[in-house]
Amino acid sequence: MLRALNLEAQKCTGCLQCELACSYENEGVFNPARSRIKVFNFHHEGRFVPYTCTQCEQAWCLHACPVEAIVLNTVTGAKEVIEDICVGCKVCTIACPFGTVNYNQASGKVIKCDLCGGDPWCVKACPTGAISYVDLDNTGLDRMRAWAQQSPAGPASYNTPRALTTPADFSRQNR
Amino acid sequence: MAWTQNVLRVNLSSGETVKEPLNMTWADSYLGQRGLASKYLAEEIDPAVDALSPDNKLIMVTGPLTGTMASTGGRYSVVTKSPLTGAIACSNSGGFIGAEIKMAGWDMIIFEGRADTPVYLYLENEKAELLPADDLWGSSVWETDERLHQKHQDPLIRIACVGRAAEQGNLYAGIINDLHRAAGRSGVGTVMASKNLKALVCRGTLGVGNLKDPLRFLQAVEQGKRVLAENAVTGQGLPQYGTQVLMNVINEMGAMPTRNMQEVQFEGAHNISGEAMHEPRSSDGQPNLTTNAACFGCTIACGRISTVHKGHFTVQNKPQYWGASGGLEYEAAWALGSDTGVDDLDALTYANFLCNEDGFDPISFGSTLAAAMELYEMGVITQQDTDGIELKFGSADALTRATELTARGEGFGKILGLGSRRLCEKYGQPDLSMTVKSQEFPAYDPRGIQGMGLAYATSNRGACHLRGYTVASEVLGIPEKTDPLATDGKAELVKAFQDATAAVDSSGLCVFTTFAWTLDDIAPQLDAACAGGWSTEKLLEVGERIWNLERDFNLKAGLTGKDDTLPKRLLKDAARSGPAKGMVNELDNMLPRYYEIRGWTPQGELTAETRQRLNL
């Protein structure tokens, strides 16, 4: 079974533990500037949003690479950069619609999330469960469960009927 | 190791920036951050120097664990001589600037001299340059932050800067980083502005590595994070309610200083509590609290991000305050709220926004305003003195207008910016100033928490809760419960907290971890990261050395044992309600014993034996 990183922004506190873990696992130093996962702080909205590669099935970065330095890891489903082959042309950074492949001046190569070979450090480091590593076919399971719990159907609701809330109310409630 | 071993020395008078090796002998004796910078300061300046003269120095300093994955490892401190107290100042801040300085490859930045015209330091890894800031002078912190981000076209730079309060000579101005985190106390921002230094702009991409034993470090960090997560305070109370978890607790035990410490319980406490921040407002049905937020590397996330209702009288037609920003922490909620008698949550939040926007300490400000309100109600000052403000306890309008004036350093705000002691002396009522060594009290009334009286009286930076937080023991039972109304054993308790805290403040970690951690949890993390054999015993010894170094600095600066006291109100006027009703603080029962166990003379001076024992 393949797994995927599941990012839940409403649980994120912006602590950057994921960036520290990511950079340490990949570079051997604590260095958010070299992290494959990034947390964005939308200060005036009071929101923190973690963001990284979704490991596209038809990965544009992989197809764009002229030297075939980005390859599929069939065990994890990750698209991985083979450093020895990468020539630092950066075409993949242009091809990626989400900006999750980036150039590293220090090495002259590109870096992107490789799912840490199937044991992502960002997941282990996150203190609030905002990053989880879940069944690729069921990334919506937690959200489905949460909505199901709010459903008016079922014996629990006989005494306390409750209307469905809007998605906005829901995310606020679970922040 | 874990230290970068690089010190950046910035001479603002000559414009030179020089890289120096860190003194590793001192690092072994003082660890980092608070301790190490205090050592540098004590060695490099005459403690008797005028704090606002070019001869004073300002040190921004990280700890060995700053920038690492250790939970809360993002702290930095600003160490200088305080213009408010005349004592050594050390203000500690979270946010992200501390880690950024470390990521750029520096343990410490020493600013000396004074620039002829306003400048800011741009620091990008090895590259350090002083750039003109004439166009930024006169701008608020928030405006400065925005303009510097625009100018450098880099969303990832981190900024620490002073606002208009510091420029106008407010004596308790802080240095704000990341828009709403503050090296807030003792006027460290005032010193920065006196040097014509507007901001530090930093971008670090080198990272932090070079740990002694990386594998052991990661294991120790993991263990530490688990302890924090499983503890009721750091795992539940602080994430959910922030430090505001204390508001109702402290009020119920009768230790909530109210209306300039005339009373010890505030009838409006619930309305401004952490619980209230979660409740839907009557105005728009939304809670004041928007989200909680963590500082760099922190797995607790006690920080508050709040929003004021657009229709609230404080922000009507002021869209710049409609967004979310740093919300109330307990100390600010107390000072701006209980101590002024105001229980309008959105008004306090707005006042707190202004403290961040223009960089001044809400504790000292709220307490100073409370003293002014008492003077007003006594008739000592009138609307002629206050620019027409009806300065009554409980008036949200008075709070709001006074905060606005203080932010800009205008009119009566200029006088409020002098602090409570100078304000009360100016109007001939020195006993109304709720200060120790000219610094205003924080939010724990020492009549209801006896040990805090001794902690305040002996604090090396004037009244302060963070120098020896015996509240942990006396109220919360951490690490063990002591009777808050008793004085027995409090000298020992205060000393233990002061020494341990000095070590924590020198590590790069946040003192709030100590709700769950003892030095036994911290030592393994430090020892795995740093050379030097960092055991609990060594940390306690280093903590005691730091405490005595600071004390020694203060004595040389002209302070004496006579300054280790409390305002008459707390020593003579009994608490009027609550569990401590009828009690005063019995400082005299604790102070002689404290001097004795510190190894000081009955006058509070270090003995030769103590100096020798601590290698001072």
Side-chain angles (χ1 to χ4, degrees), chain A residues 109-137:
Chain A
K109 314 281 182 178
V110 295
I111 56 176
K112 71 176 286 299
C113 172
D114 61 0
L115 298 174
C116 297
D119 184 22
W121 280 41
C122 53
V123 174
K124 291 184 281 187
C126 179
T128 63
I131 312 169
S132 52
Y133 194 47
V134 300
D135 177 358
L136 184 57
D137 292 344

mmCIF file of all heavy atoms in Angstrom, chain A residues 109-137:
data_model
loop_
_atom_site.group_PDB
_atom_site.id
_atom_site.type_symbol
_atom_site.label_atom_id
_atom_site.label_comp_id
_atom_site.label_asym_id
_atom_site.label_seq_id
_atom_site.Cartn_x
_atom_site.Cartn_y
_atom_site.Cartn_z
ATOM 1 N N LYS A 109 22.345 21.565 -7.016
ATOM 2 C CA LYS A 109 21.349 20.573 -7.457
ATOM 3 C C LYS A 109 19.964 21.048 -6.995
ATOM 4 O O LYS A 109 19.851 21.986 -6.202
ATOM 5 C CB LYS A 109 21.622 19.206 -6.818
ATOM 6 C CG LYS A 109 23.073 18.758 -6.858
ATOM 7 C CD LYS A 109 23.450 18.212 -8.207
ATOM 8 C CE LYS A 109 24.910 17.726 -8.177
ATOM 9 N NZ LYS A 109 25.319 17.153 -9.450
ATOM 10 N N VAL A 110 18.926 20.335 -7.435
ATOM 11 C CA VAL A 110 17.596 20.661 -6.924
ATOM 12 C C VAL A 110 17.259 19.723 -5.767
ATOM 13 O O VAL A 110 17.806 18.617 -5.652
ATOM 14 C CB VAL A 110 16.500 20.568 -8.006
ATOM 15 C CG1 VAL A 110 16.735 21.607 -9.085
ATOM 16 C CG2 VAL A 110 16.393 19.162 -8.563
ATOM 17 N N ILE A 111 16.351 20.192 -4.925
ATOM 18 C CA ILE A 111 15.894 19.359 -3.809
ATOM 19 C C ILE A 111 14.377 19.293 -3.823
ATOM 20 O O ILE A 111 13.701 20.252 -4.197
ATOM 21 C CB ILE A 111 16.393 19.899 -2.442
ATOM 22 C CG1 ILE A 111 15.968 21.354 -2.222
ATOM 23 C CG2 ILE A 111 17.904 19.779 -2.340
ATOM 24 C CD1 ILE A 111 16.343 21.914 -0.842
ATOM 25 N N LYS A 112 13.842 18.156 -3.430
ATOM 26 C CA LYS A 112 12.395 17.994 -3.276
ATOM 27 C C LYS A 112 12.131 16.867 -2.298
ATOM 28 O O LYS A 112 13.023 16.081 -1.970
ATOM 29 C CB LYS A 112 11.715 17.718 -4.618
ATOM 30 C CG LYS A 112 11.999 16.329 -5.184
ATOM 31 C CD LYS A 112 11.225 16.064 -6.462
ATOM 32 C CE LYS A 112 9.747 15.815 -6.239
ATOM 33 N NZ LYS A 112 9.436 14.643 -5.412
ATOM 34 N N CYS A 113 10.909 16.803 -1.843
ATOM 35 C CA CYS A 113 10.525 15.770 -0.878
ATOM 36 C C CYS A 113 10.653 14.377 -1.488
ATOM 37 O O CYS A 113 10.187 14.131 -2.600
ATOM 38 C CB CYS A 113 9.087 16.005 -0.427
ATOM 39 S SG CYS A 113 8.440 14.671 0.592
ATOM 40 N N ASP A 114 11.296 13.462 -0.740
ATOM 41 C CA ASP A 114 11.411 12.079 -1.208
ATOM 42 C C ASP A 114 10.738 11.117 -0.228
ATOM 43 O O ASP A 114 10.989 9.917 -0.244
ATOM 44 C CB ASP A 114 12.881 11.705 -1.418
ATOM 45 C CG ASP A 114 13.687 11.795 -0.129
ATOM 46 O OD1 ASP A 114 13.102 12.140 0.923
ATOM 47 O OD2 ASP A 114 14.895 11.522 -0.169
ATOM 48 N N LEU A 115 9.897 11.673 0.643
ATOM 49 C CA LEU A 115 9.182 10.871 1.650
ATOM 50 C C LEU A 115 10.140 10.116 2.576
ATOM 51 O O LEU A 115 9.744 9.164 3.248
ATOM 52 C CB LEU A 115 8.188 9.893 0.989
ATOM 53 C CG LEU A 115 7.063 10.538 0.168
ATOM 54 C CD1 LEU A 115 6.233 9.460 -0.545
ATOM 55 C CD2 LEU A 115 6.163 11.405 1.036
ATOM 56 N N CYS A 116 11.376 10.571 2.640
ATOM 57 C CA CYS A 116 12.399 9.958 3.512
ATOM 58 C C CYS A 116 12.424 8.435 3.353
ATOM 59 O O CYS A 116 12.574 7.697 4.337
ATOM 60 C CB CYS A 116 12.162 10.331 4.976
ATOM 61 S SG CYS A 116 12.300 12.079 5.351
ATOM 62 N N GLY A 117 12.228 7.970 2.116
ATOM 63 C CA GLY A 117 12.282 6.528 1.868
ATOM 64 C C GLY A 117 11.129 5.763 2.518
ATOM 65 O O GLY A 117 11.198 4.543 2.689
ATOM 66 N N GLY A 118 10.079 6.457 2.874
ATOM 67 C CA GLY A 118 8.919 5.771 3.437
ATOM 68 C C GLY A 118 8.743 5.971 4.934
ATOM 69 O O GLY A 118 7.842 5.381 5.544
ATOM 70 N N ASP A 119 9.594 6.803 5.524
ATOM 71 C CA ASP A 119 9.485 7.072 6.968
ATOM 72 C C ASP A 119 9.699 8.573 7.202
ATOM 73 O O ASP A 119 10.741 8.980 7.715
ATOM 74 C CB ASP A 119 10.556 6.241 7.708
ATOM 75 C CG ASP A 119 10.452 6.383 9.222
ATOM 76 O OD1 ASP A 119 9.369 6.755 9.712
ATOM 77 O OD2 ASP A 119 11.473 6.126 9.901
ATOM 78 N N PRO A 120 8.724 9.378 6.804
ATOM 79 C CA PRO A 120 8.959 10.831 6.773
ATOM 80 C C PRO A 120 9.214 11.437 8.165
ATOM 81 O O PRO A 120 8.414 11.259 9.085
ATOM 82 C CB PRO A 120 7.660 11.400 6.179
ATOM 83 C CG PRO A 120 6.897 10.236 5.660
ATOM 84 C CD PRO A 120 7.359 9.019 6.387
ATOM 85 N N TRP A 121 10.336 12.153 8.270
ATOM 86 C CA TRP A 121 10.724 12.751 9.554
ATOM 87 C C TRP A 121 9.789 13.886 9.971
ATOM 88 O O TRP A 121 9.618 14.131 11.159
ATOM 89 C CB TRP A 121 12.174 13.254 9.465
ATOM 90 C CG TRP A 121 13.184 12.164 9.645
ATOM 91 C CD1 TRP A 121 13.120 10.898 9.126
ATOM 92 C CD2 TRP A 121 14.395 12.231 10.401
ATOM 93 N NE1 TRP A 121 14.224 10.172 9.505
ATOM 94 C CE2 TRP A 121 15.027 10.969 10.292
ATOM 95 C CE3 TRP A 121 15.021 13.219 11.136
ATOM 96 C CZ2 TRP A 121 16.245 10.679 10.905
ATOM 97 C CZ3 TRP A 121 16.243 12.946 11.751
ATOM 98 C CH2 TRP A 121 16.847 11.676 11.635
ATOM 99 N N CYS A 122 9.229 14.577 9.003
ATOM 100 C CA CYS A 122 8.342 15.695 9.346
ATOM 101 C C CYS A 122 7.135 15.183 10.131
ATOM 102 O O CYS A 122 6.648 15.851 11.040
ATOM 103 C CB CYS A 122 7.888 16.426 8.088
ATOM 104 S SG CYS A 122 7.143 15.374 6.818
ATOM 105 N N VAL A 123 6.668 14.007 9.776
ATOM 106 C CA VAL A 123 5.504 13.424 10.457
ATOM 107 C C VAL A 123 5.830 13.141 11.918
ATOM 108 O O VAL A 123 5.069 13.484 12.829
ATOM 109 C CB VAL A 123 5.067 12.116 9.752
ATOM 110 C CG1 VAL A 123 3.954 11.417 10.529
ATOM 111 C CG2 VAL A 123 4.631 12.399 8.331
ATOM 112 N N LYS A 124 7.019 12.553 12.120
ATOM 113 C CA LYS A 124 7.422 12.216 13.489
ATOM 114 C C LYS A 124 7.649 13.468 14.327
ATOM 115 O O LYS A 124 7.432 13.480 15.544
ATOM 116 C CB LYS A 124 8.711 11.378 13.464
ATOM 117 C CG LYS A 124 8.501 9.983 12.904
ATOM 118 C CD LYS A 124 9.779 9.154 12.979
ATOM 119 C CE LYS A 124 10.741 9.520 11.869
ATOM 120 N NZ LYS A 124 11.923 8.653 11.788
ATOM 121 N N ALA A 125 8.093 14.547 13.676
ATOM 122 C CA ALA A 125 8.460 15.758 14.425
ATOM 123 C C ALA A 125 7.256 16.634 14.759
ATOM 124 O O ALA A 125 7.286 17.398 15.713
ATOM 125 C CB ALA A 125 9.467 16.572 13.628
ATOM 126 N N CYS A 126 6.192 16.528 13.977
ATOM 127 C CA CYS A 126 5.054 17.444 14.163
ATOM 128 C C CYS A 126 4.370 17.189 15.505
ATOM 129 O O CYS A 126 3.909 16.086 15.769
ATOM 130 C CB CYS A 126 4.045 17.281 13.040
ATOM 131 S SG CYS A 126 2.623 18.381 13.253
ATOM 132 N N PRO A 127 4.295 18.223 16.369
ATOM 133 C CA PRO A 127 3.725 18.006 17.704
ATOM 134 C C PRO A 127 2.203 18.000 17.737
ATOM 135 O O PRO A 127 1.617 17.625 18.749
ATOM 136 C CB PRO A 127 4.272 19.188 18.514
ATOM 137 C CG PRO A 127 4.490 20.265 17.512
ATOM 138 C CD PRO A 127 4.841 19.579 16.206
ATOM 139 N N THR A 128 1.555 18.428 16.666
ATOM 140 C CA THR A 128 0.092 18.561 16.730
ATOM 141 C C THR A 128 -0.642 17.619 15.781
ATOM 142 O O THR A 128 -1.856 17.697 15.646
ATOM 143 C CB THR A 128 -0.332 20.008 16.378
ATOM 144 O OG1 THR A 128 0.060 20.274 15.025
ATOM 145 C CG2 THR A 128 0.302 21.013 17.312
ATOM 146 N N GLY A 129 0.095 16.758 15.104
ATOM 147 C CA GLY A 129 -0.563 15.849 14.162
ATOM 148 C C GLY A 129 -1.036 16.542 12.894
ATOM 149 O O GLY A 129 -1.905 16.033 12.185
ATOM 150 N N ALA A 130 -0.474 17.707 12.591
ATOM 151 C CA ALA A 130 -0.872 18.415 11.368
ATOM 152 C C ALA A 130 -0.330 17.732 10.126
ATOM 153 O O ALA A 130 -0.823 17.952 9.024
ATOM 154 C CB ALA A 130 -0.383 19.863 11.407
ATOM 155 N N ILE A 131 0.700 16.912 10.298
ATOM 156 C CA ILE A 131 1.247 16.149 9.177
ATOM 157 C C ILE A 131 1.128 14.667 9.522
ATOM 158 O O ILE A 131 1.639 14.225 10.552
ATOM 159 C CB ILE A 131 2.737 16.480 8.939
ATOM 160 C CG1 ILE A 131 2.959 17.999 8.924
ATOM 161 C CG2 ILE A 131 3.231 15.853 7.644
ATOM 162 C CD1 ILE A 131 4.432 18.379 8.951
ATOM 163 N N SER A 132 0.419 13.933 8.685
ATOM 164 C CA SER A 132 0.332 12.492 8.915
ATOM 165 C C SER A 132 0.688 11.770 7.620
ATOM 166 O O SER A 132 0.743 12.383 6.549
ATOM 167 C CB SER A 132 -1.058 12.108 9.415
ATOM 168 O OG SER A 132 -2.049 12.633 8.559
ATOM 169 N N TYR A 133 0.941 10.495 7.725
ATOM 170 C CA TYR A 133 1.367 9.699 6.570
ATOM 171 C C TYR A 133 0.343 8.590 6.434
ATOM 172 O O TYR A 133 0.344 7.639 7.221
ATOM 173 C CB TYR A 133 2.775 9.158 6.850
ATOM 174 C CG TYR A 133 3.490 8.603 5.639
ATOM 175 C CD1 TYR A 133 3.529 9.293 4.438
ATOM 176 C CD2 TYR A 133 4.167 7.386 5.724
ATOM 177 C CE1 TYR A 133 4.216 8.797 3.350
ATOM 178 C CE2 TYR A 133 4.865 6.881 4.625
ATOM 179 C CZ TYR A 133 4.879 7.583 3.448
ATOM 180 O OH TYR A 133 5.567 7.088 2.362
ATOM 181 N N VAL A 134 -0.555 8.761 5.478
ATOM 182 C CA VAL A 134 -1.749 7.912 5.459
ATOM 183 C C VAL A 134 -1.906 7.171 4.125
ATOM 184 O O VAL A 134 -1.274 7.521 3.130
ATOM 185 C CB VAL A 134 -3.019 8.758 5.706
ATOM 186 C CG1 VAL A 134 -2.932 9.455 7.058
ATOM 187 C CG2 VAL A 134 -3.230 9.776 4.598
ATOM 188 N N ASP A 135 -2.783 6.201 4.134
ATOM 189 C CA ASP A 135 -3.130 5.414 2.946
ATOM 190 C C ASP A 135 -3.447 6.361 1.781
ATOM 191 O O ASP A 135 -4.348 7.186 1.875
ATOM 192 C CB ASP A 135 -4.361 4.553 3.310
ATOM 193 C CG ASP A 135 -4.854 3.733 2.120
ATOM 194 O OD1 ASP A 135 -4.278 3.846 1.021
ATOM 195 O OD2 ASP A 135 -5.831 2.988 2.320
ATOM 196 N N LEU A 136 -2.695 6.211 0.707
ATOM 197 C CA LEU A 136 -2.854 7.099 -0.442
ATOM 198 C C LEU A 136 -4.283 7.096 -0.986
ATOM 199 O O LEU A 136 -4.757 8.085 -1.522
ATOM 200 C CB LEU A 136 -1.864 6.671 -1.543
ATOM 201 C CG LEU A 136 -1.782 7.514 -2.810
ATOM 202 C CD1 LEU A 136 -1.461 8.963 -2.495
ATOM 203 C CD2 LEU A 136 -0.719 6.943 -3.740
ATOM 204 N N ASP A 137 -4.978 5.977 -0.855
ATOM 205 C CA ASP A 137 -6.342 5.887 -1.395
ATOM 206 C C ASP A 137 -7.384 6.448 -0.433
ATOM 207 O O ASP A 137 -8.563 6.475 -0.740
ATOM 208 C CB ASP A 137 -6.693 4.420 -1.686
ATOM 209 C CG ASP A 137 -5.869 3.876 -2.841
ATOM 210 O OD1 ASP A 137 -5.284 4.691 -3.579
ATOM 211 O OD2 ASP A 137 -5.814 2.645 -2.988
#
